[in-house]
């Protein structure tokens, strides 16, 4: 800003010099007040400083006395600005520097700093001697804040531009590329020179039909804007790259179309993330569906086991009462065989629902002998036109498995492949190998931890499946075979076995191109797995009048077990309500020799019964029976001191043996 009429020398006309100076100062202050500036005048001879009222106002002072008490220029300068501003003033006063023209911060009355633009010049007398140093200040705080905001905004823009994966392009009226900005080999695979002069559809692309390009050309010829047009290409390593491009038509001042301007972006990572999210959502839906169906199936199977336990029990009682020579013995045998088939079916349902697997019978073992044994049995049952191909792995392959369940799983998968051939000649191929899954690969397969796994693949060249069939293939009772030619449990059981083994199973299939099922099973035992306690062999033994307290909410089981116990020499007290049974023990703690209780009962579980009885009489042994014996139940039972666990459907066969073992521990040894 200029200094107006302020000159570098005092007026030469005669008169009082001080009066002339005051006149000039007053004139200058009038001019500066119009510009909102504050004035100062430093008398270098007398070492006195004059500050205009506006100067004081800019620093927040309305009291001249307070201003003169508080304000000292050097100490009021911001510490970061003090040396530079003071140095400029000193050099100019001593004739060694230009006039003051600097932006600096001054401390105001409220102790906050504000930005000021200071301008000052030395006034010299006729002899060249410096007499006054006068100048003005302008409050530029808002301007400095705006400039700082602008600098920050520009910096952010520069940083975002550097980090952006976008590129900008231009096309002429013929729709040929004329310019590329920000285009790199990383985000566009090809170089800018390979684009110039070409149409977009002339560049390499994959999985894009002629119809897609035709629609895009027609859109461009209509001079329409477009957004996120997707282009698929392969990079130099053969990996899919997905690009999105958007464009807007450009017209000149006369409305004539002159081309397109647009932007492009590499969205491969986003595409992969969306694909992965869709896969995870599908896995979650599938997991939730299978879990819901499994829970329903397990509950039904548990209820069936209660019924089967009663059937087997009453069969045993009927045989005992009638003898083998009775005319109805053959009918009882037929009932027994039918019940056995029903029990096998229920066991398959429990296996699917993850309740039939017994972790304590699984251990790390070589898989090749198990696979070879299963296939040798299977070859004898397959038609001559079905080839069963298996090449033993070159390296040993192990997994933590239950051998019987692995046999069943492999048999079911191979039989499924055979049925997929639909009576035609074909091939079922089995492959076995050890693999190491990193965190990413394990996550893709499901909720698996990374580590070593055995990979078992069963493939066929049969009819294959469409997506609708593939999505339901592991559902229980779902089958594509005609009515009466399958239960629909084969692959459901496989799914249950794999889940119980903490593994994963996947399927790839297309109509007419066969199917491939891949199973991953952990190669090493997880922490906490313990060997199964071995059962002591023993036969049915008669009781000697010992008193058994039996608890079950199923009336049919109560009647059957009461009759069974009495028939083999025990005294029996039965209760359908756990609370009443506990009350009976509390009333006569020494009246009972052993307690047998169901696990799943309303109001109080079998473990609750164990806890209550232990508080009354800790040495009273308790046996728990259940329609399914899960790993969790085994662990909790051991923790509470349960002496025996028994499958409820096997009560007739197992209960006499277990009672004998509990009541005669020396004989069991």
């Amino acid at each position: 800003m200029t200094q107006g009429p302020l000159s570098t020398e005092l007026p030469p006309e005669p008169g009082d010099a001080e009066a002339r100076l005051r006149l000039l100062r007053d004139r200058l202050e009038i001019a500066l007040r119009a510009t909102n500036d504050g004035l100062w005048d430093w008398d270098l001879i007398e070492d006195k400083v004059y500050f205009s009222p506006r100067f004081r106002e800019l620093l927040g002072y309305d009291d001249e006395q307070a201003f003169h008490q508080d304000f000292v220029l050097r100490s009021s300068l911001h510490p970061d600005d003090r040396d530079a501003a003071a140095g400029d003033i000193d050099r100019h006063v001593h004739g060694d520097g230009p006039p003051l023209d600097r932006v600096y911060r001054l401390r105001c009355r409220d102790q906050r700093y504000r930005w000021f633009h200071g301008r000052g010049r030395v006034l010299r007398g006729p002899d060249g001697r410096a007499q006054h140093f006068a100048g003005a200040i302008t409050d530029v705080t808002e301007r400095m804040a705006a400039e700082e905001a602008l600098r920050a905004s520009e910096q952010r823009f520069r940083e975002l531009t550097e980090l952006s994966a976008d590129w900008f392009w231009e096309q002429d009226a013929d729709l040929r590329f004329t310019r590329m900005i920000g285009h790199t080999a990383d985000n566009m695979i090809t170089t800018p020179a390979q684009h110039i002069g070409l149409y977009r559809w002339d560049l390499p692309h994959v999985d894009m039909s002629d119809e897609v390009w035709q629609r895009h050309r027609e859109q461009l010829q209509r001079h329409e804007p477009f957004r996120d047009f997707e282009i698929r290409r392969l990079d130099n390593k053969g990996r899919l790259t997905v690009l999105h491009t958007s464009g807007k038509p450009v017209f000149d001042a006369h409305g004539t179309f002159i081309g397109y301007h647009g932007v492009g972006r590499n969205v491969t990572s986003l595409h992969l993330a969306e694909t992965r999210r869709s896969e995870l959502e599908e896995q979650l839906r599938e997991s939730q569906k299978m879990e819901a169906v499994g829970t329903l199936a397990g509950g039904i199977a548990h209820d069936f086991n209660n019924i089967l336990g009663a059937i087997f029990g009453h069969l045993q009682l009927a045989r005992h009462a009638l003898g083998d020579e009775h005319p109805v013995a053959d009918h009882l045998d037929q009932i027994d065989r039918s019940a056995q088939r029903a029990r096998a079916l229920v066991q398959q349902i429990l296996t699917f629902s993850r309740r039939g697997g017994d972790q304590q019978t699984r251990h790390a073992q070589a898989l090749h002998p198990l696979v070879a044994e299963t296939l040798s049995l299977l070859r004898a049952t397959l038609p001559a036109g079905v080839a069963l191909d298996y090449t033993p792995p070159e390296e040993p392959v192990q997994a933590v498995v239950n051998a019987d369940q692995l046999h069943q799983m492999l048999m079911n998968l191979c039989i499924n492949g055979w049925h997929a051939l639909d009576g035609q000649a074909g091939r079922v191929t089995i492959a076995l190998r050890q693999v190491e899954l990193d965190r990413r690969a394990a996550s893709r397969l499901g909720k698996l931890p990374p580590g070593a796994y055995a990979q078992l693949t069963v493939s066929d060249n049969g009819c294959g499946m469409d997506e609708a069939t593939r999505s339901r293939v592991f559902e229980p009772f779902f089958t594509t075979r005609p009515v009466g030619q399958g239960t629909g449990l084969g692959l459901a059981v496989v799914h249950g076995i794999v889940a119980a083994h903490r593994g994963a199973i996947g399927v790839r299939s297309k109509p007419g191109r066969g199917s491939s099922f891949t199973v991953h099973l952990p190669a090493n035992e997880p922490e906490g797995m313990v060997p199964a306690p071995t059962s002591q062999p023993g036969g049915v033994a008669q009781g000697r009048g010992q008193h058994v307290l039996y608890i079950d909410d199923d009336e049919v089981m109560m009647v059957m077990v009461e009759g069974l116990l009495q028939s083999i020499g025990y005294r029996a007290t039965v209760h359908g309500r756990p609370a009443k049974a506990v009350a009976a023990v509390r009333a006569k703690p020494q009246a009972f020799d052993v307690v047998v209780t169901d696990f799943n009962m309303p109001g109080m579980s079998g473990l609750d019964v164990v806890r209550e009885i232990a508080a009354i009489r800790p040495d009273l042994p308790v046996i728990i029976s259940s329609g399914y014996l899960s790993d969790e139940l085994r662990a909790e039972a051991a923790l509470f001191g349960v002496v025996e666990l028994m499958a409820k459907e096997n009560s007739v066969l197992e209960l006499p043996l277990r009672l004998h073992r509990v009541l005669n521990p020396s004989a069991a040894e």
Side-chain angles (χ1 to χ4, degrees):
M1 180 175 175
T2 61
Q3 296 298 313
L6 189 63
S7 65
T8 58
E9 295 183 358
L10 294 177
E13 63 266 27
D16 185 354
E18 287 297 327
R20 294 199 308 271
L21 180 59
R22 283 194 298 272
L23 176 63
L24 287 175
R25 190 167 58 199
D26 291 343
R27 291 175 180 174
L28 179 60
E29 185 167 339
I30 293 172
L32 291 177
R33 181 172 290 278
T35 63
N36 205 29
D37 289 351
L39 175 69
W40 86 82
D41 183 2
W42 178 15
D43 185 337
L44 299 175
I45 304 298
E46 300 293 334
D47 194 22
K48 296 179 180 180
V49 183
Y50 166 79
F51 295 99
S52 71
R54 184 56 186 160
F55 189 105
R56 298 193 301 270
E57 291 172 4
L58 289 175
L59 294 178
Y61 289 90
D62 54 7
D63 183 348
E64 181 176 2
Q65 184 177 359
F67 173 78
H68 286 295
Q69 289 176 348
D70 293 348
F71 183 78
V72 178
L73 178 62
R74 283 185 179 271
S75 61
S76 296
L77 284 166
H78 191 280
D80 293 344
D81 305 331
R82 186 173 299 151
D83 291 343
D88 286 353
I89 294 172
D90 290 343
R91 283 188 293 273
H92 180 54
V93 169
H94 291 92
D96 297 328
L100 174 67
D101 189 353
R102 173 177 290 277
V103 175
Y104 46 79
R105 286 161 288 184
L106 290 175
R107 186 175 62 250
C108 300
R109 188 174 190 179
D110 60 6
Q111 301 303 308
R112 291 186 296 180
Y113 286 93
R114 296 185 65 84
W115 286 96
F116 293 92
H117 182 197
R119 291 93 61 209
R121 184 183 295 269
V122 169
L123 303 176
R124 302 181 185 277
D127 58 357
R129 182 184 177 189
Q131 297 184 356
H132 288 265
F133 179 53
I137 59 172
T138 304
D139 190 331
V140 294
T141 303
E142 293 182 0
R143 189 191 80 189
M144 294 297 291
E147 290 178 356
E148 179 59 29
L150 178 60
R151 281 194 295 271
S153 176
E154 290 174 347
Q155 179 64 24
R156 287 195 299 271
F157 178 77
R158 282 193 297 270
E159 292 174 353
L160 291 174
T161 302
E162 292 172 357
L163 296 173
S164 174
D166 293 353
W167 61 90
F168 303 90
W169 52 264
E170 295 180 7
Q171 289 175 316
D172 59 19
D174 293 331
L175 305 179
R176 296 178 184 272
F177 284 109
T178 58
R179 191 179 183 190
M180 286 279 178
I181 303 174
H183 173 190
T184 68
D186 288 338
N187 58 27
M188 280 285 286
I189 306 169
T190 50
T191 63
Q194 293 173 297
H195 287 71
I196 304 305
L198 295 179
Y199 299 109
R200 182 173 289 111
W201 45 87
D202 288 337
L203 296 167
H205 57 267
V206 294
D207 297 333
M208 299 184 67
S209 66
D210 293 338
E211 290 78 8
V212 171
W213 285 116
Q214 181 60 31
R215 288 195 298 270
H216 184 57
R217 280 195 293 268
E218 292 172 355
Q219 185 180 32
L220 297 180
Q221 290 164 358
R222 292 192 297 268
H223 306 157
E224 295 176 350
F226 61 93
R227 187 173 185 84
D228 292 337
F229 178 69
E230 185 169 289
I231 303 172
R232 293 171 172 246
R233 298 178 180 173
L234 297 180
D235 65 10
N236 53 13
K237 295 183 179 179
R239 297 172 300 192
L240 177 66
T241 300
V242 182
L243 312 173
H244 278 181
T245 184
S246 303
K248 181 179 180 181
V250 181
F251 302 89
D252 64 15
H254 304 290
T256 303
F257 173 72
I258 58 175
Y260 269 90
H261 290 173
V263 61
R265 172 173 292 185
N266 188 329
V267 295
T268 304
S269 297
L270 179 62
H271 172 78
L272 293 176
E274 290 288 344
T275 301
R276 179 57 181 152
R277 186 182 70 175
S278 298
E279 292 174 353
L280 291 174
E281 288 175 349
E282 179 61 26
Q283 287 180 9
L284 178 60
R285 285 192 294 269
E286 184 71 11
S287 174
Q288 290 174 335
K289 179 182 70 176
M290 299 302 286
E291 189 69 28
V293 175
T295 300
L296 175 62
I300 294 173
H302 173 258
D303 291 340
F304 265 95
N305 272 338
N306 286 342
I307 298 171
L308 287 172
I311 292 173
F312 284 122
H314 284 289
L315 275 173
Q316 183 72 10
L317 294 175
R319 282 174 172 157
H320 180 76
L322 299 175
D324 294 338
E325 303 301 326
H326 196 278
V328 301
D330 290 340
H331 299 295
L332 295 178
D333 289 340
Q334 290 297 331
I335 295 174
D336 186 43
R337 282 192 286 270
S338 297
Q340 293 286 357
R341 287 197 297 271
R343 179 163 62 184
L345 181 61
V346 170
Q347 187 58 40
Q348 290 189 66
I349 297 175
L350 285 173
T351 299
F352 160 74
S353 66
R354 307 183 189 182
R355 293 168 173 165
D358 185 353
Q359 174 175 304
Q360 300 192 36
T361 63
R362 298 196 297 269
H363 60 276
Q365 54 189 304
L367 293 193
H368 168 61
L370 300 178
V371 172
E373 178 185 351
T374 304
L375 297 182
S376 66
L377 296 173
L378 188 61
R379 281 192 175 93
T381 65
L382 293 178
V386 178
L388 197 61
D389 291 343
Y390 171 62
T391 302
E394 296 181 359
E395 300 293 334
V397 178
Q398 77 163 26
V400 180
V401 297
N402 175 301
D404 292 336
Q405 291 185 346
L406 182 71
H407 280 297
Q408 184 179 8
M409 179 187 72
L410 184 55
M411 288 283 283
N412 288 8
L413 287 174
C414 291
I415 291 173
N416 180 76
W418 165 30
H419 289 161
L421 299 176
D422 201 20
Q424 305 296 318
R427 188 177 303 279
V428 178
T429 304
I430 298 90
L432 179 65
R433 66 180 184 131
Q434 200 87 30
V435 297
E436 189 76 24
L437 299 180
D438 58 21
R439 188 174 301 278
R440 191 170 191 176
S443 175
R444 287 184 177 277
L445 292 172
K447 297 179 180 179
L448 297 182
Y453 287 82
Q455 184 187 80
L456 176 66
T457 304
V458 178
S459 307
D460 65 74
N461 60 347
C463 59
M465 297 177 284
D466 57 22
E467 182 59 27
T469 302
R470 191 206 64 76
S471 66
R472 300 188 59 193
V473 72
F474 295 116
E475 292 182 13
F477 309 114
F478 174 77
T479 178
T480 58
R481 302 180 66 198
V483 176
Q485 295 188 20
T487 63
L489 283 173
L491 292 179
V493 168
V494 170
H495 185 278
I497 291 174
V498 172
H501 281 71
R502 295 182 172 86
I505 183 170
V507 56
R508 292 182 292 107
S509 183
K510 288 186 178 180
R513 299 180 62 179
S515 302
S516 180
F517 291 82
T518 301
V519 175
H520 287 85
L521 299 173
N524 302 308
E525 295 183 354
E527 293 184 5
M529 179 179 284
V530 296
T534 57
S535 300
Q536 296 291 337
V540 177
Q542 294 292 314
R544 297 192 300 274
Q546 295 97 325
H547 196 176
V548 179
L549 174 61
Y550 183 78
I551 310 169
D552 199 314
D553 62 317
D554 189 315
E555 293 183 5
V556 177
M557 285 296 294
M558 290 168 57
V559 173
M560 184 275 294
V561 172
E562 184 177 23
L564 173 64
L565 292 173
Q566 291 173 351
S567 70
I568 58 176
Y570 291 98
R571 289 184 297 134
T573 296
V574 297
H575 281 284
R577 295 184 179 179
K580 286 190 174 182
V582 172
V585 175
R586 184 176 290 109
K588 296 182 179 181
Q590 302 301 321
F592 304 100
D593 299 297
V594 64
V595 177
V596 181
T597 179
D598 185 24
F599 171 69
N600 192 14
M601 297 178 292
M604 184 180 290
S605 72
L607 290 176
D608 293 330
V609 171
V610 173
R611 188 184 300 109
E612 294 286 343
I613 289 177
I616 300 169
R617 183 181 158 190
D619 64 332
L620 182 59
V622 181
I623 298 172
I624 286 182
S625 70
S626 178
Y628 60 90
L629 302 175
S630 66
D631 294 339
E632 291 79 5
L633 176 55
R634 292 181 184 277
E636 289 185 284
L639 182 64
F640 283 102
V642 176
V643 294
E644 293 279 353
L645 286 174
M646 178 179 67
K648 195 169 185 178
E649 68 274 18
N650 297 332
S651 295
V652 174
L653 299 177
E654 294 188 18
L655 184 55
L657 173 62
R658 294 180 186 275
L659 286 173
H660 179 74
R661 189 158 56 194
V662 170
L663 296 173
N664 301 277
S666 59
E669 294 176 0

